Amino acid sequence: MRIPSELVRLDGQVHAWLPQFPGTWGMANCVVVTSGATEPSESTHSPGSPHSPGSEILLVDTPYTAPLTRALAAAARRVAGPGARVSTVVNTHANGDHSYGNGLFPDAEIISTDANLAHLCAEPTPGQLQAMLDGCRDEVAFERYLLAHFGRYDYGGLEVAPPTRTFSGRLDLLVGSTPVELYEVGPAHTAGDLVVHLPASGVVCAGDVLFVGDVPVHWAGPLSGVIGACRQILDLDPQVVVPGHGPLVGPAEVRAYMAYMEELRGRLHALHGAGVDVEEASRVLLREHRRPGLGLWERLGVLAAVEYRHLGGAEEPISLVEVLASAVRLAPDCVPAAVASRRELTAELAGLAGLAEPAGDEDEGGVKVRTV
């Protein structure tokens, strides 16, 4: 497990923040786009020279907690230089692990899709998650699962900062002279997904329409929408794709992911057509469609439940927590026998991040971050 203190350099304007926490929830990738070029350093995974004062930064997604967001901002400072400011945040979708950090950049324009606002209604707030996790009991299997995967996150003081600018279809931006293209690709993972294309760099930021290293979870669907979103990524002819979670990949890995989604979709449609109910369909996926090397297999139950909703024509909103609880119940081997206390888990994450909790508002190296 690793929380990065440095960014991965993709080119002079584009760097990636890639937490390495396979097999768990909440550690999402972010991308930093700067308005001026840095000089290549000896290591391709190291930042280059500082930008000139007054540089602007566009962030693609923000982390799950205030300490993680400050870690990202600190890493951005090392490539942006004095006087740089985060002027724009683009949220690929509304899940908290990609957007809860928005509020720490109070001067930034926050951009997402019109449809993204619909998912905000279904997403638990930071306060709701904090209360739920603080009340989890070790003797209840699902609550123990929640502690194991979410108990390390302290959401204290965070509030949802929704988009200040939305769009449908496509939106083109400039960060300095760097073109940034936003494409709406949802509904797929959520109702309002977008991908970010950086044509001058050959990079696409996929958000959670693409997972690498773990079984994906898709809350909106259908799976045909996820497959279509990935096809749109390939149509942009990227050299590098930044998934929502996991390491950087290329087009070949995107195609392999699409094939897996096609496999799951085909099996679920066949089971539904044969009259198999959703719980048994979930068990079939859990028995027969786990992939070696992919963690979080219990998410197969979520994929089955969401796809069956589409096949059955259900329209009412889903409860994300209830759908996950049902999936975990069908995969009891995913629940650890014991888990550390919430206090111990949050302390462990703070230690990994090497983060302090400063008080008040600060402007560190030009990148303004509101502390909570």
Side-chain angles (χ1 to χ4, degrees), residues 38-102:
T38 58
E39 296 297 324
S41 61
E42 293 182 2
S43 169
T44 58
H45 284 198
S46 299
S49 302
H51 292 225
S52 59
S55 296
E56 294 191 352
I57 298 172
L58 178 148
L59 295 179
V60 180
D61 288 333
T62 59
Y64 216 3
T65 68
L68 291 173
T69 303
R70 287 195 291 274
L72 169 63
R77 288 195 300 275
R78 297 186 181 98
V79 300
R85 69 186 186 95
V86 175
S87 59
T88 307
V89 172
V90 174
N91 290 141
T92 58
H93 60 290
N95 285 157
D97 55 340
H98 295 257
S99 63
Y100 277 178
N102 288 359

Side-chain angles (χ1 to χ4, degrees), residues 17 59 61-74 77 84-89 91 96 98-110 126 154-162 355-364 366-372:
W17 190 76
L59 295 179
D61 288 333
T62 59
Y64 216 3
T65 68
L68 291 173
T69 303
R70 287 195 291 274
L72 169 63
R77 288 195 300 275
R85 69 186 186 95
V86 175
S87 59
T88 307
V89 172
N91 290 141
H98 295 257
S99 63
Y100 277 178
N102 288 359
L104 273 72
F105 304 102
D107 298 329
E109 180 175 55
I110 302 171
D154 182 358
Y155 306 103
L158 288 174
E159 295 183 1
V160 173
L355 299 170
E357 287 285 350
D361 286 2
E362 57 188 19
D363 188 340
E364 299 178 348
V367 180
K368 184 173 182 180
V369 183
R370 183 178 67 84
T371 60
V372 295

Side-chain angles (χ1 to χ4, degrees), residues 24-25 64 124 128-129 131-138 140-153 155 219 298 320-325 328 334-336 339-340 342 345:
T24 194
W25 296 71
Y64 216 3
Q128 289 170 333
L129 279 177
M132 179 176 66
L133 291 165
D134 287 346
C136 281
R137 298 157 293 177
D138 186 70
V140 178
F142 178 59
E143 294 178 14
R144 195 162 64 249
Y145 176 92
L146 291 177
L147 282 174
H149 289 284
F150 297 92
R152 62 177 57 86
Y153 303 114
Y155 306 103
W219 303 109
E298 63 274 13
L320 278 59
V321 174
E322 289 178 7
V323 170
L324 178 58
V328 169
C334 75
V335 180
V339 65
R342 179 128 160 81
L345 291 166

Side-chain angles (χ1 to χ4, degrees), residues 1-2 40 83 94 116 120-121 129 137 149 178 187 197-198 201 207 232-233 239 258 269-270 297 300 361:
M1 296 189 294
R2 184 180 67 85
N116 188 50
L120 281 175
C121 299
L129 279 177
R137 298 157 293 177
H149 289 284
T178 302
H197 182 215
L198 303 165
S201 307
Q232 288 181 257
I233 291 172
Q239 299 174 31
M258 292 169 66
H269 283 234
W297 59 85
L300 291 167
D361 286 2

Side-chain angles (χ1 to χ4, degrees), residues 229-273:
C230 290
R231 190 172 294 113
Q232 288 181 257
I233 291 172
L234 294 177
D235 288 344
L236 296 170
D237 194 27
Q239 299 174 31
V240 175
V241 180
V242 184
H245 302 262
L248 304 175
V249 296
E253 290 85 357
V254 178
R255 293 188 187 96
Y257 181 81
M258 292 169 66
Y260 186 36
M261 295 301 97
E262 290 276 16
E263 172 190 321
L264 297 177
R265 179 181 182 274
R267 190 60 188 277
L268 288 169
H269 283 234
L271 291 167
H272 185 270

